[in-house]
Amino acid sequence: MKLLLIEDDLQAAEYLIKSLRESGYSVDHSPDGRDGLEKATQRHYDVIIADRQLPHVDGLTIITTLRERNDRTPVLILSALGTVDDRVHGLKAGGDDYLTKPFAFAELLARIEALSRRGSALAESSRLKVADLELDLLARKVTRAGQNIDLTTKEFQLLEFLMRRPGQVVTRTMLLEGVWNLHFDPQTNITDVHMSRLRNAVDKGFSRPLIHTVRGAGYVLKE
């Protein structure tokens, strides 16, 4: 498991790096917020541990920047600022946990382990797969057999709706309610038009179609 520690107190950082590595973690260290943000955006980490008060770029700015980029890597905030308002501010900025200094290393370790489990569950639930078709909800990316598929926002939502129900017949009424949030029949072929475009994007050029029309009922996504 790979961690990023963003800590400007070099003595504290040295102790944490040594202890975390002895606990089996791979650790990268950044001594200031600017370097930390650069590492966090360019490399993959299972958990980021960030001091709140950092030179150049503070810890909360790092977190908000990551969240604005749709990066959901779990972040544990370390800070000497320990009032309720301080903790609430840190969590509202997008932090996943908040640990006040000074702290026991055993508690830090337990919190890292909890965040890593949460991050693994999030990553798993944010990726949908049917046959060779994959949809990444966080990256807003769709691929089939490794090839990128460009979709509009509505087509992406439509595909997500289908991929969450593989092998299940999805009616036009279900699509209108689930994708368009319409609870009445608009008397148009809006679902058919978008489904046709989606099918063209997903199935064209492949020998096995995945989106099928069920006559008189709706659609089904299956191998």
Side-chain angles (χ1 to χ4, degrees):
M1 185 180 299
K2 196 167 185 62
L3 308 178
L4 172 61
L5 173 65
I6 311 175
E7 171 62 77
D8 62 320
D9 183 331
L10 298 184
Q11 185 175 0
E14 184 178 351
Y15 166 74
L16 289 176
I17 292 168
K18 179 176 181 294
S19 300
L20 288 168
R21 286 176 176 166
E22 287 176 350
S23 299
Y25 293 99
S26 172
V27 185
D28 286 348
H29 173 238
S30 291
D32 62 72
R34 183 184 302 145
D35 182 72
L37 181 58
E38 183 177 344
K39 280 189 174 74
T41 54
Q42 293 182 358
R43 307 176 190 177
H44 168 75
Y45 294 98
D46 296 289
V47 176
I48 297 172
I49 307 163
D51 189 13
R52 180 167 173 173
Q53 296 173 296
L54 294 164
H56 307 309
V57 180
D58 67 89
L60 298 192
T61 299
I62 291 173
I63 296 170
T64 55
T65 301
L66 292 175
R67 300 308 183 234
E68 287 169 358
R69 297 184 182 187
N70 210 24
D71 186 329
R72 301 300 170 190
T73 303
V75 179
L76 170 59
I77 302 169
L78 301 180
S79 180
L81 304 174
T83 68
V84 172
D85 286 345
D86 290 327
R87 295 196 297 272
V88 169
H89 192 194
L91 296 173
K92 282 190 172 182
D96 297 276
D97 201 353
Y98 197 107
L99 187 57
T100 304
K101 299 178 179 180
F103 53 83
F105 180 74
E107 182 178 4
L108 173 66
L109 207 58
R111 291 179 184 239
I112 291 171
E113 291 170 356
L115 287 177
S116 67
R117 290 193 298 269
R118 187 187 309 173
S120 298
L122 176 63
E124 184 177 342
S125 64
S126 68
R127 286 192 291 266
L128 305 176
K129 190 175 189 305
V130 176
D132 56 356
L133 179 65
E134 297 185 49
L135 183 148
D136 189 324
L137 291 166
L138 297 183
R140 308 296 290 180
K141 180 180 179 181
V142 176
T143 61
R144 182 166 183 190
Q147 300 179 31
N148 287 331
I149 296 175
D150 294 324
L151 299 177
T152 65
T153 299
K154 191 58 67 178
E155 289 165 357
F156 187 95
Q157 294 172 347
L158 187 56
L159 181 59
E160 179 188 349
F161 193 89
L162 291 171
M163 292 187 72
R164 289 190 181 278
R165 299 160 179 82
Q168 175 184 342
V169 176
V170 175
T171 67
R172 289 171 177 81
T173 299
M174 291 170 63
L175 292 173
L176 287 171
E177 292 181 352
V179 179
W180 279 270
N181 197 29
L182 295 176
H183 299 277
F184 62 92
D185 187 349
Q187 301 298 318
T188 70
N189 63 343
I190 185 173
T191 57
D192 298 324
V193 170
H194 280 80
M195 190 63 74
S196 176
R197 292 172 182 167
L198 178 62
R199 175 180 283 159
N200 188 59
V202 169
D203 286 337
K204 187 176 181 180
F206 293 93
S207 59
R208 293 181 297 120
L210 295 178
I211 299 175
H212 305 270
T213 300
V214 180
R215 190 175 298 277
Y219 305 92
V220 62
L221 179 70
K222 64 178 183 179
E223 295 189 61

